[in-house]
Amino acid sequence: MVTKRLELLREELRREHLGAYIFNSSDPHNSEYTADRWKGREWISGFNGSAGTAVVTLNSAALWTDSRYFIAAEQQLAGTEYQLMKLKIEGTPTIAEWLGQELADADSKEVGIDGTTHTAAAISQLKNELQQQGGLTLRTNFDVLQRIWKDRPSMPLDAIMLQPTELAGESTHDKLARIRKALREVHADGMLMSQLDDIAWTLNLRGSDVHCCPVFISHLLIGSQQATLFVDERKLTAKVKSYLTEQNIAVKPYEMAGNALQKWGEWNILIDPDEVNEALARQVKANEIIRKPSPVAVMKAVKNEAEQQGMRNAMLKDGIALVKWLYWLKPAVEAGGQTEISVSNKLEQLRSEQPLYRGLSFDTIAGYEEHGAIVHYEATPETDKPLEPRGLLLVDSGAQYQDGTTDITRTIALGPLTDEQRKVYTLVLKGHIDLQLLHFPDGASGTQLDAIARAPLWQAGLNYLHGTGHGVGAYLNVHEGPHQIRMEWKPTPLRKGMTVTDEPGIYLEGRFGVRTENVLLVQEAKETECGRFLCFETLTLCPIDKTPILPDLLTQEEKDWLNQYHAVVYEKIAPHLNSEERLWLQEATQAL
């Protein structure tokens, strides 16, 4: 199938006199996860990871992705002509470098790309990089998928829903006032907002256009006096239409956003080049274009009191479901007949029984033994592995509740383990705990904290290539920025009220993987003569499996943290369990 699709693509490349075409993983809103309509990179390559870029010339094809997907990509690209390019691995060429080599003797030096699915900043950078590779040029106004993807999914039309102010914690009127104040501080009259979770947060609306993400396809144009939502009106109920009118928000068709930018009536406009797609950015007609980051992402990242409490409520419900699942798991595996998919389905069923459950926050990752070493593994009927009462099961999962979003990873011993498994498990746990024990200066960035979680692993010659932590939305996207905890420089400071995950892990290909993850809330710790210090409140409520731990590798402070954490888990979860489940939890949370 991939071979046939490549043939169709190359026919169009010859017709348009293009030397190559680039497919990314995004949509017109720079989304990490996209509606089916924009899964063109998956369609042309067969690789279904959330991050990756496929590049096809008349004679060759390659796909770039990061360490989370190296193993999965190798498996999914097998049998195709795609060459896997491993990002951040020494010797891997950039896309521009590879194209420079592949097109050195080609008749056409022009590369095609869809400008609606790439940000203005990404296009600008790519143009410069291609220019340095023998003068390659970039054409951005050609969506080749419109011609060759005959059964391409249409735009989703699911209804948009109101998010109650008591859960949002702030009215849309007040959010717009804050945004306009931030715009005045950079002397901007307005801005175009394209990030879907930013729009949903600003308007206190939610949707279901993107799998596992409660957002809806739209753009929001904010002026000094009025705002306009560009969306398919068929998605708006009478209640939502009335609400938007009350908020002084006009509604226009989704495809009219570019026209509105051409007719912008105020002096200047802020365009975030890392958010707005190139096709829209080039249509802006204004006396001045202010190219600065959107102020909304940081506003959204700092949770207000209602959002914080909603997250706590969601974590409690999630913890109840997880404990019920853990109580069920080992006896079910010992009885036989359980697989990666069946235990994932059981966990989803238990979550669905909780109040305000709205669905998963991402597809569950349940990797048994060697599958646990595939960072973003997702079992299929072909790969679904039977579980046995031995070894490690890594389960990374999360849920959307109307009052909050959850994300948790636990690695569970299903029976006897090797000495190597126990050691790796304990070292990962040390890093996980050490980060949560940390006090740090207000204004420190996640990059400055990242090494704390890695230090025990580095000492043993171990490392992981993914980030240590990401923001989590309040009934929004499970991955939220701009703050992160990772090795790469991310300057956004951590502030009181931000949520972030703590998820170190180690993945030994062909053997096993270990990851432990909690969601944390940044809180104020203390004020000293050196300034204000922050700390973490652990929101996730679920026992960490003690059976693989090598206690001698933990410090007394680390043991104390684990014992205190487990005491809190028991106190909060136990009242919601039956007597058998409560006895199990009592044992699972006993002090080391």
Side-chain angles (χ1 to χ4, degrees):
M1 188 175 292
V2 170
T3 300
K4 178 62 176 176
R5 291 170 181 176
L6 289 175
E7 290 173 1
L8 293 172
L9 169 62
R10 285 168 175 149
E11 288 176 11
E12 294 300 329
L13 296 184
R14 296 185 187 96
R15 186 174 290 115
E16 296 293 329
H17 198 60
L18 290 171
Y21 202 91
I22 298 173
F23 301 86
N24 73 346
S25 305
S26 194
D27 62 7
H29 308 276
N30 194 33
S31 302
E32 177 185 14
Y33 301 108
T34 69
D36 290 345
R37 177 172 180 78
W38 289 288
K39 293 182 178 178
R41 185 264 298 146
E42 178 179 339
W43 185 84
I44 199 67
S45 69
F47 169 62
N48 65 4
S50 67
T53 302
V55 186
V56 182
T57 74
L58 292 173
N59 303 301
S60 55
L63 184 134
W64 282 255
T65 192
D66 61 47
S67 63
R68 296 172 297 168
Y69 296 110
F70 288 168
I71 299 173
E74 284 178 350
Q75 294 173 351
Q76 293 178 15
L77 298 178
T80 74
E81 62 180 276
Y82 279 94
Q83 178 183 358
L84 177 60
M85 299 293 185
K86 298 181 177 181
L87 289 171
K88 299 179 185 176
I89 299 299
E90 187 175 353
T92 299
T94 66
I95 290 172
E97 289 168 345
W98 185 78
L99 283 170
Q101 298 165 6
E102 295 296 311
L103 301 182
D105 300 319
D107 292 336
S108 173
K109 303 288 185 180
E110 188 171 33
V111 178
I113 199 168
D114 180 5
T116 70
T117 63
H118 291 73
T119 65
I123 291 292
S124 177
Q125 179 179 342
L126 184 57
K127 282 182 176 178
N128 291 335
E129 293 174 354
L130 290 174
Q131 182 64 36
Q132 296 170 26
Q133 300 295 324
L136 300 182
T137 59
L138 193 64
R139 177 181 170 185
T140 64
N141 64 348
F142 176 45
D143 179 5
V144 71
L145 292 172
Q146 288 286 75
R147 295 188 185 176
I148 63 175
W149 193 356
K150 299 302 182 183
D151 57 348
R152 186 176 188 178
S154 57
M155 293 269 283
L157 289 174
D158 292 346
I160 295 170
M161 301 155 287
L162 288 170
Q163 177 72 342
T165 305
E166 58 266 27
L167 294 178
E170 184 180 12
S171 70
T172 292
H173 176 273
D174 290 347
K175 288 179 180 179
L176 287 171
R178 277 210 290 149
I179 293 168
R180 288 183 173 117
K181 182 176 183 291
L183 291 173
R184 286 195 297 273
E185 289 173 356
V186 295
H187 308 290
D189 297 323
M191 68 173 288
L192 176 68
M193 195 186 303
S194 288
Q195 206 82 37
L196 299 182
D197 57 334
D198 286 1
I199 296 170
W201 175 84
T202 300
L203 299 181
N204 288 344
L205 297 174
R206 298 294 188 267
S208 54
D209 288 353
V210 180
H211 180 56
C212 294
C213 302
V215 297
F216 50 95
I217 306 300
S218 59
H219 297 282
L220 181 63
L221 186 59
I222 299 176
S224 59
Q225 302 299 321
Q226 191 182 43
T228 303
L229 178 65
F230 297 91
V231 66
D232 192 319
E233 287 198 51
R234 290 175 291 179
K235 301 169 65 63
L236 305 180
T237 64
K239 188 175 181 179
V240 170
K241 284 183 181 178
S242 175
Y243 166 78
L244 291 170
T245 300
E246 291 170 8
Q247 302 298 321
N248 195 29
I249 298 166
V251 175
K252 291 187 177 179
Y254 174 76
E255 60 273 10
M256 293 298 291
N259 182 262
L261 292 172
Q262 294 172 25
K263 297 178 179 178
W264 178 249
E266 304 197 51
W267 178 262
N268 63 28
I269 187 170
L270 185 145
I271 297 291
D272 185 340
D274 289 311
E275 174 181 330
V276 177
N277 71 61
E278 191 268 346
L280 282 178
R282 68 169 179 258
Q283 296 184 65
V284 177
K285 298 289 188 293
N287 295 292
E288 180 188 16
I289 299 175
I290 299 173
R291 295 177 174 85
K292 287 182 178 291
S294 164
V296 179
V298 172
M299 291 182 185
K300 180 177 90 270
V302 177
K303 308 298 187 288
N304 60 45
E305 290 298 327
E307 290 172 321
Q308 291 179 29
Q309 189 55 48
M311 293 291 279
R312 293 187 186 98
N313 294 342
M315 299 292 169
L316 174 61
K317 290 179 286 194
D318 215 47
I320 294 166
L322 282 155
V323 167
K324 289 176 177 288
W325 178 77
L326 287 169
Y327 165 76
W328 165 87
L329 179 63
K330 287 185 184 179
V333 170
E334 289 167 359
Q338 298 300 326
T339 70
E340 293 166 330
I341 290 178
S342 72
V343 297
S344 298
N345 291 341
K346 178 67 174 182
L347 179 53
E348 183 176 357
Q349 174 233 313
L350 289 168
R351 279 183 162 127
S352 70
E353 296 169 0
Q354 293 298 315
L356 299 182
Y357 175 79
R358 297 293 181 262
L360 299 179
S361 58
F362 57 97
D363 289 321
T364 299
I365 298 165
Y368 177 54
E369 289 289 78
E370 70 272 16
H371 285 171
I374 305 173
V375 181
H376 272 209
Y377 170 77
E378 184 181 338
T380 66
E382 293 75 31
T383 67
D384 189 22
K385 190 174 175 65
L387 305 185
E388 300 176 24
R390 63 173 182 82
L392 292 173
L393 172 67
L394 186 157
V395 179
D396 187 351
S397 66
Q400 296 285 4
Y401 302 92
Q402 195 170 0
D403 46 3
T405 301
T406 70
D407 184 2
I408 176 174
T409 307
R410 290 293 184 264
T411 305
I412 304 136
L414 296 181
L417 303 177
T418 66
D419 291 343
E420 181 185 42
Q421 287 175 321
R422 289 166 62 83
K423 181 178 180 181
V424 169
Y425 181 95
T426 308
L427 292 175
V428 168
L429 179 59
K430 282 177 70 70
H432 175 78
I433 293 173
D434 291 352
L435 183 61
Q436 288 172 79
L437 285 169
L438 187 66
H439 286 197
F440 53 95
D442 187 11
S445 81
T447 303
Q448 293 163 320
L449 276 56
D450 180 82
I452 299 297
R454 296 178 190 267
L457 299 165
W458 286 349
Q459 289 295 104
L462 298 168
N463 192 28
Y464 53 97
L465 298 181
H466 60 71
T468 298
H470 58 81
V472 179
Y475 186 37
L476 280 170
N477 293 354
V478 72
H479 292 161
E480 183 176 271
H483 62 296
Q484 296 182 46
I485 302 177
R486 63 187 312 117
M487 290 177 66
E488 298 84 356
W489 175 236
K490 296 292 180 182
T492 302
L494 295 175
R495 299 294 189 193
K496 180 183 176 182
M498 287 182 168
T499 51
V500 67
T501 62
D502 171 13
E503 49 181 308
I506 291 297
Y507 315 95
L508 302 177
E509 185 173 352
R511 284 132 72 195
F512 64 92
V514 172
R515 184 164 63 251
T516 301
E517 175 186 19
N518 283 343
V519 176
L520 317 178
L521 175 66
V522 180
Q523 295 281 27
E524 190 165 350
K526 58 193 171 186
E527 184 124 17
T528 74
E529 59 186 311
C530 294
R532 189 164 75 143
F533 282 75
L534 303 176
C535 62
F536 293 119
E537 172 191 345
T538 304
L539 297 181
T540 302
L541 295 170
C542 179
I544 294 168
D545 193 353
K546 303 194 307 293
T547 55
I549 296 174
L550 295 174
D552 290 347
L553 293 183
L554 296 181
T555 66
Q556 189 58 49
E557 186 180 27
E558 290 164 348
K559 292 176 184 177
D560 289 344
W561 180 92
L562 185 61
N563 292 338
Q564 290 164 10
Y565 173 68
H566 276 155
V568 171
V569 170
Y570 183 81
E571 175 191 351
K572 296 196 173 183
I573 301 292
H576 304 277
L577 306 176
N578 64 37
S579 57
E580 291 84 3
E581 293 163 343
R582 197 177 303 120
L583 283 171
W584 178 90
L585 182 60
Q586 187 175 36
E587 172 64 26
T589 56
Q590 271 191 349
L592 281 179

